Amino acid sequence: MVKYVIITGGVLSSVGKGTISASTGLLLKSMGYNVTLVKIDPYLNVDAGTMNPYMHGEVYVTEDGAETDLDLGHYERFVDVIMTKYNNITAGKVYFEVIRKERAGDYLGQTVQIIPHVTNQIKEMVRAAQQYSGADVVIVEIGGTVGDIEGLPFLEAMRQLALEEEGNVVFVHVALVEYLKATGELKTKPLQHSVQELRRIGIQPNIIVARSEIPLDEETRKKIALYTNVKPEHVFSSYDVSLIYEVPLTLRAQGYDKALADKLNIEYRTPNLSKWEEFVDRVKKANKPVRIALVGKYAKLKDSYLSIKEAVIHASAYLGLKPQMEWIDSVELETDEEALKRLTTFDGIVVLPGFGARGAEGKIKAIKVARENNIPFLGICFGLQLSVVEFARNVVGLKGAHSTEIDPNTPHPVIDLLEDQKNVKEVGGTMRLGAQKIILKEGTTVHKLYGTSVIYERHRHRYEVNPKYVDLLQKHGMVISGVSEKGLVEFIELPNHRFFVATQAHPEFKSKPLAPSPLFVGFLKAAAGL
Ligand code: GLN
């Protein structure tokens, strides 16, 4: 029998529901179950690809090229499962499909309605994710907060699912419990109300995870149990921890794993988390500091580059380093000479992915600082493109060299659209997306780091290094250390530099706590002078 864990959120969004869903996945997988996770996003965008990362956080790209919610990144990092386009369902995707079916005449003259047509479509998509993965347990995280208008059809669909799959569906409700510092009290009323709202639409949660600053005391736990109609031993406390990777351990210490097995009616097996615990330990014990500057346009919102931040944490733990990441706004670097000078005090500089003109010159300045001062440098996607621009301008001497994304009239379009991309009109899902083969050049830094000649990394970009300039760049000392199957530039590096590597790909998406990205390991090693 397939089992389902439905995770809802109450009171506020951004209370770490994604981490709790991922932790649930890790615990079940560590019990030996085959797990998949589905993120439901009740917004009308078909996918996250068209959304501003400043508001929405990073767009996470899957192996199969889906542009998804950043929670899928948590799922892959915690559970080490491959996510696909089936694992992120948005309201946009659901309605798109329902309307397509209506136009195709599939509903045979019926009035097409939220119930049953939209709700059926939702269930069909959840089941499709299960079928595609062959999972024993499907964890479905419903984005947003209980009570949101957009979320209603999804909750209704899950209520129906529970009836259709009777005995095989467990509801976990994650809600904030506010800590009032003035009185030293944990306030449970908003959580009670969010559970009431759930029950009003026919869902009785089986397990409550209370998110709070400090651990729940016994009295508060009992109070929550009483008011939510859940057993006290099924009320869990997810309190603030310094490292998100500790969350599954804190939940397990309270018996969350047992409660899941009990409620799902599956055999309980002690989860084997020794490797995970070792990782958490390594992060906590690491004491050699390494200061990394991360230069980007959305630098104020760390979530915009979540996977990069995590990749730095994974690689640092592996090397026994304590990373100190500072987010630098590239727009400021354009006018603030002091900020630019301060860049030289960092052990390493990362130039982040990005789109558009704002802050691009600031990134180019940061790249110049890294190149001229022999500071370990890692350029990711846009970071590679702008490294090529910087090199073309300042080393090759091509005045005004640029990417046509920023300056369509540049005399030296070193970064440009390929012919087939020039005709693309639609914005959504039309970039070079997903995992693609990269062939690494023997003897280069990246070849040594990956230890193999053929790798696969994920992509999300539209512009490419213009093939017409490749010879010239090479003549002036730039090494093309990786190319795509079609011969497009995937990696560049500069010899005679401590570490200057940039990639057109996004290796951050594949980095995992127990399997750090070789590229990040190489960069941090150089930054720390190891
Ligand atoms: N804007 C660039 C492109 O579309 C880079 C994209 C990115 O950094 N992900 O090619």
Side-chain angles (χ1 to χ4, degrees), residues 337-348:
E337 282 301 317
E338 276 310 303
L340 201 61
K341 232 191 262 149
R342 214 170 66 80
L343 267 188
T344 58
T345 66
F346 285 90
D347 299 317

Side-chain angles (χ1 to χ4, degrees), residues 40-109:
I40 287 182
D41 283 306
Y43 49 67
L44 284 171
N45 303 65
V46 171
D47 63 34
T50 55
M51 294 170 83
N52 180 347
Y54 205 28
M55 291 187 276
H56 180 259
E58 163 185 279
V59 176
Y60 187 77
V61 182
T62 58
E63 284 289 287
D64 65 346
E67 299 174 275
T68 70
D69 185 79
L70 57 76
D71 277 324
L72 274 80
H74 289 309
Y75 303 165
E76 285 206 344
R77 287 186 286 268
F78 276 68
V79 194
D80 197 4
V81 280
I82 297 281
M83 291 286 112
T84 67
K85 60 176 190 271
Y86 294 103
N87 298 89
N88 195 186
I89 302 172
T90 67
K93 236 186 229 175
V94 172
Y95 285 96
F96 204 73
E97 188 54 15
V98 169
I99 291 167
R100 188 198 62 75
K101 284 182 180 166
E102 187 275 333
R103 289 291 86 183
D106 291 359
Y107 295 118
L108 305 171

Side-chain angles (χ1 to χ4, degrees), residues 352-356 380-383 385 405 415 431 460-464 504 506:
L352 299 163
F355 294 83
I380 302 175
C381 206
F382 204 32
Q385 297 176 356
E405 176 181 4
I415 307 294
M431 282 185 260
R460 181 173 187 257
H461 67 107
R462 211 181 294 282
Y463 291 80
E464 304 286 352
Q504 191 61 80
H506 289 269

